[in-house]
Amino acid sequence: TPDAAQLIYDPRFLKQKTPWVNEQPPISFRFPLYTTSAIAGEDYKAENLRGMTCPECGKCNARVKWEGWECTGCGFEHKPKITPLPAASIQDQNYPVSDAYPSSHDSALPHIKISVNFSHNYRWITYKFKVSATEEGEVVHGIANKVVREEVRGPNQMWEHLQTNCHGLVRRELSNALMNSFTMNYGMPYKFIAAGDSLPFTDAPWPVTEAVSRLNWADRITSGNAVKDKEKFNELYLVAYLQDQSMNYHDDGEKGLGSTVATLSLGGRAEMGFRPKSFFFHGMKSIDYNRKRMTVMTKDEPLPEFPNYELRKQYLEEIKNANFSESEEKERLAEMATALRAAYPPKQSCTRVEDWVRLSLGHGDIVIMRGAHLQKYYEHGVSPKGLMRYALTCRTVLPGHLKESELPDYEVDLVQDEYDGSRIAK
DNA sequence: TTACCCTCGTATCTGTATAC
DNA sequence: GTATACAGATACGAGGGTAA
């Protein structure tokens, strides 16, 4: 290390310049603003999501709003008008649809119980599996055909309407980044989202309320039960994905929500994967205890499909019967985690989990997730493959969950005719 | 009141396996 | 032996919720 006191300041060093032979200074870092393309779909490409260097004040700004760019320094706005992508151009030749019942491009591990039903021009596939030692859960995939897509006020019309009539979508702030897709909430406030981001259904474009009604219908006909009023969906989370935007694995199990979550997918195709959370599958997690980081066995009841099933059952029994103090128990759980790790075959990961169910979601498809433990112990992620996609996800915010101060100052009840599937009956 | 927990991302580094 | 691919680990570091 050089001794700082011995270093001599010489201004000649700073003034030294290497002449550039092939480039002409000055090179501007205020890149030209994005101008929209007349070619449909170009505006949804990933390169148009980059930030802007403000031409007025030079401040760098991320693209936060769907409508365009805003400078947080001087207030400069750049909101070019996009060219919408017509429904006709999102048809994918590799996944042809007709007025026959559509085929499936899903996959699932062998132990998943699969059943199929056909109605209303949808192929309804149910994937059933244990979501905890005590609960059976399911994922239902409704695959839409051409009749569904072309229905009056159906997916095609929703898709085209949303592109030009849905305002206010923003990229929400995460811990240390922006969420990459654009979102908006309608109906009951969803506490996961920062306050102020919920709009009443009366301010929503018609596809939003149509989707709530349609998803309530889908829930009704696929569960075989009449859905009680208080369990009907009263909240819709709209997500707009542009090219290369995806959603990491997560769950929808926030407190105060009903155990059923349903999504309508519009636009480009997407892959949706479901898998057990790592701590549940492998039975190990890392915790901080007494200012120390340690890996311990988790105390959740394992499923027979999980690694070290017998050993974990045996260990759980031991913990249950022993009368450990808290620190003794932590210590023993850490030993057990070490033993579990050692019991893995060589080369087998003790953290990674593969997807149990993979859905290939097309335009107009519906996904319904049922089971509280499905959200507690499983996670799902979405990676869109096309240029642009909307996901309209409905939940039930349970009455009594929100405090007086959190209740919306608007009426949440949907005032409209209930969707009944009669236009696509078959 | 305080300490600690976790997070609907992502780029980058590093070690290991594999291909040539 | 060298280049490449991949998985896993880690840095980043703000703020609301919650248990103590």
Side-chain angles (χ1 to χ4, degrees):
Chain A
T1 316
D3 179 1
Q6 299 299 312
L7 295 174
I8 301 160
Y9 171 70
D10 188 339
R12 281 177 300 178
F13 174 76
L14 290 180
K15 291 190 171 164
Q16 180 90 21
K17 286 203 173 73
T18 308
W20 287 94
V21 184
N22 300 318
E23 288 170 54
Q24 281 187 354
I27 302 160
S28 174
F29 287 99
R30 297 192 187 187
F31 298 108
L33 296 176
Y34 175 68
T35 49
T36 50
S37 171
I39 302 169
E42 287 289 302
D43 298 331
Y44 297 144
K45 286 191 172 172
E47 64 234 46
N48 309 326
L49 277 168
R50 290 185 308 186
M52 156 190 87
T53 312
C54 178
E56 305 281 331
C57 70
K59 184 174 182 188
C60 296
N61 294 276
R63 170 144 178 219
V64 178
K65 296 193 174 180
W66 174 260
E67 278 78 16
W69 292 259
E70 280 179 8
C71 177
T72 53
C74 68
F76 172 82
E77 291 186 358
H78 179 56
K79 295 180 175 172
K81 199 171 182 305
I82 58 138
T83 306
L85 192 56
S89 58
I90 52 170
Q91 308 298 333
D92 183 336
Q93 298 195 19
N94 295 315
Y95 301 86
V97 286
S98 68
D99 53 8
Y101 278 111
S103 47
S104 157
H105 296 86
D106 300 350
S107 59
L109 295 191
H111 69 272
I112 310 284
K113 284 163 274 174
I114 303 176
S115 57
V116 187
N117 279 301
F118 299 92
S119 85
H120 297 82
N121 285 281
Y122 278 96
R123 173 189 291 258
W124 302 100
I125 309 177
T126 303
Y127 302 91
K128 257 196 205 313
F129 48 96
K130 282 262 197 171
V131 289
S132 72
T134 53
E135 193 188 7
E136 179 106 347
E138 62 187 25
V139 174
V140 179
H141 182 192
I143 309 177
N145 74 356
K146 194 158 174 267
V147 178
V148 176
R149 291 182 181 184
E150 292 176 351
E151 181 187 357
V152 175
R153 288 168 80 82
N156 282 358
Q157 290 182 11
M158 288 180 174
W159 164 257
E160 293 189 347
H161 187 87
L162 281 176
Q163 289 179 75
T164 43
N165 297 282
C166 185
H167 308 292
L169 295 166
V170 291
R171 292 173 64 194
R172 198 175 68 84
E173 215 157 316
L174 290 180
S175 61
N176 46 11
L178 287 174
M179 195 170 157
N180 66 17
S181 39
F182 295 86
T183 63
M184 172 56 92
N185 277 74
Y186 299 95
M188 278 295 255
Y190 180 33
K191 284 172 84 175
F192 168 73
I193 297 300
D197 279 347
S198 275
L199 283 181
F201 282 127
T202 45
D203 288 357
W206 68 258
V208 167
T209 45
E210 189 72 26
V212 177
S213 189
R214 193 185 192 92
L215 290 170
N216 269 321
W217 164 79
D219 184 28
R220 216 158 51 230
I221 68 158
T222 58
S223 66
N225 296 324
V227 180
K228 295 187 198 99
D229 265 1
K230 64 173 182 186
E231 285 164 18
K232 280 186 181 171
F233 300 127
N234 56 10
E235 185 272 341
L236 187 142
Y237 185 43
L238 175 67
V239 186
Y241 299 88
L242 270 62
Q243 186 182 43
D244 293 345
Q245 293 185 328
S246 59
M247 202 178 272
N248 255 5
Y249 284 93
H250 68 282
D251 65 67
D252 292 336
E254 285 81 18
K255 275 187 184 158
L257 295 182
S259 60
T260 302
V261 179
T263 300
L264 173 65
S265 184
L266 297 177
R269 187 158 288 271
E271 290 277 334
M272 185 172 190
F274 292 83
R275 66 184 188 191
K277 291 178 185 172
S278 183
F279 78 84
F280 183 45
F281 186 76
H282 293 290
M284 290 177 274
K285 67 175 175 183
S286 149
I287 58 159
D288 285 329
Y289 185 66
N290 280 347
R291 297 170 192 282
K292 267 198 310 195
R293 180 139 280 233
M294 60 205 288
T295 301
V296 294
M297 186 181 82
T298 58
K299 294 199 282 178
D300 306 283
E301 190 85 17
L303 299 183
E305 290 81 15
F306 293 171
N308 295 322
Y309 173 67
E310 293 299 336
L311 188 55
R312 281 169 67 181
K313 292 273 275 188
Q314 183 192 317
Y315 281 161
L316 275 181
E317 201 61 26
E318 180 194 325
I319 293 289
K320 239 180 260 172
N321 296 328
N323 212 0
F324 286 134
S325 72
E326 196 191 335
S327 62
E328 283 171 343
E329 186 180 294
K330 287 275 191 295
E331 213 163 285
R332 183 70 188 115
L333 286 171
E335 287 170 12
M336 287 170 169
T338 310
L340 287 180
R341 232 178 223 179
Y344 277 76
K347 290 186 192 176
Q348 191 177 313
S349 167
C350 58
T351 54
R352 234 178 73 85
V353 188
E354 65 175 326
D355 283 329
W356 279 24
V357 179
R358 292 188 69 85
L359 308 182
S360 175
L361 301 182
H363 178 52
D365 285 9
I366 287 172
V367 179
I368 302 172
M369 298 181 254
R370 294 199 182 97
H373 289 142
L374 178 59
Q375 304 302 343
K376 183 177 178 192
Y377 289 124
Y378 289 72
E379 56 189 2
H380 55 275
V382 190
S383 48
K385 305 295 171 197
L387 266 186
M388 165 68 192
R389 170 177 181 262
Y390 288 108
L392 295 91
T393 299
C394 277
R395 298 172 174 83
T396 312
V397 178
L398 298 175
H401 168 61
L402 296 174
K403 293 182 210 144
E404 193 71 29
S405 61
E406 294 165 339
L407 286 171
D409 52 6
Y410 48 78
E411 190 61 44
V412 171
D413 285 351
L414 277 175
V415 185
Q416 66 168 121
D417 293 338
E418 287 252 347
Y419 182 81
D420 63 2
S422 56
R423 287 191 297 264
I424 50 169
K426 186 173 179 179

